[in-house]
Amino acid sequence: MQLQDLSKTSGLALKLDTKKHELIFGGGMAKVSPAIRFLKDMKEVLVGKDITKPDELYYMYRDLHEAGDGKLIRRNALRYDVTIIRADRLGNEFMKTAGHYHPGDYGELYEVVSGEAWCLLQKPNAKDKRVIEDVILVKAKAHDKIVIPPGYGHILINAAKEDLVTSNWVSSEFSSEYELYKKAHGAAYYIFEDNLNERFEVNPYFKEVAKIRPAECVQEIKKFGLRSGVPMYLLLHHEVKKLDFLNNPLKYDYSDVFVFL
């Protein structure tokens, strides 16, 4: 067993078993079994339909918290999750999640706990979902926080050679919507590994797709209580009202959550 300590970046007593791709829970935390995304669940969003491996792609640990924090989290209509995305390839595509939208105007907040994450965000036209008006590619490292603004669907991509571990705060008042990504056979762009470089191809399902806007995470967003190096789980105890934007998204401005390159 090879264990990687995640406590400093997550703020929780967590370790990663890098061989089994699973979380080890320390004192004060109840053990949670992950929901596993299998290759068979992803066929609709992959370019290579004949891929036979790997069988397991990523692992979603939902509703994690320290003992005693459950009531506080529920009172604020929140949920905290951790996802482990394996370091592998899907044919020529980089390892990725299935992709989802949120109903209404709900957003989401991610933190990179370990590894390097690419987050591909896309905003469809309100009247025609086959027209993508905006595409943002955020490349993030450990400690970075990624704010998903209202109206954006998104996938996470692991292009590195090590497991990617992310956490997220999200409203508990909705369930993610996967159908539009399935119907479109994936995101607005497919991202391939090509001679150790990345190659982008527009998904032909869409009528019109905006050019990708590359971006980085902002290192401090005071209105949301976010600062690089400080685990976002700790907001629960010190500034939980800073997470109000997850339940009341239209009260806030999101024009400053990315640094565009």
Side-chain angles (χ1 to χ4, degrees), residues 33 61 74 93 121 190 236 238:
S33 297
Y61 293 82
R74 289 190 292 273
E93 285 190 85
L121 300 90
Y190 297 115
L236 181 65
H238 305 296

Side-chain angles (χ1 to χ4, degrees), residues 8-9 109-112 141-147 217-235 238-239 242:
K8 289 185 178 180
T9 45
L109 173 61
Y110 285 99
E111 180 171 52
V112 180
K141 60 187 183 301
H143 300 288
D144 284 348
K145 282 78 170 170
I146 305 171
V147 176
C217 299
V218 175
Q219 296 303 297
E220 184 173 13
I221 306 177
K222 290 184 178 180
K223 62 188 173 187
F224 298 150
L226 305 177
R227 184 158 55 91
S228 181
V230 180
M232 67 182 192
Y233 184 86
L234 301 181
L235 287 171
H238 305 296
E239 295 183 287
K242 296 285 189 178

Side-chain angles (χ1 to χ4, degrees), residues 33-35 47 67 80 98 111 118 146 148 151 182 192 222 235 243:
S33 297
V47 173
Y80 182 89
E111 180 171 52
W118 296 3
I146 305 171
I148 307 296
K182 290 182 179 180
F192 301 94
K222 290 184 178 180
L235 287 171
L243 296 173

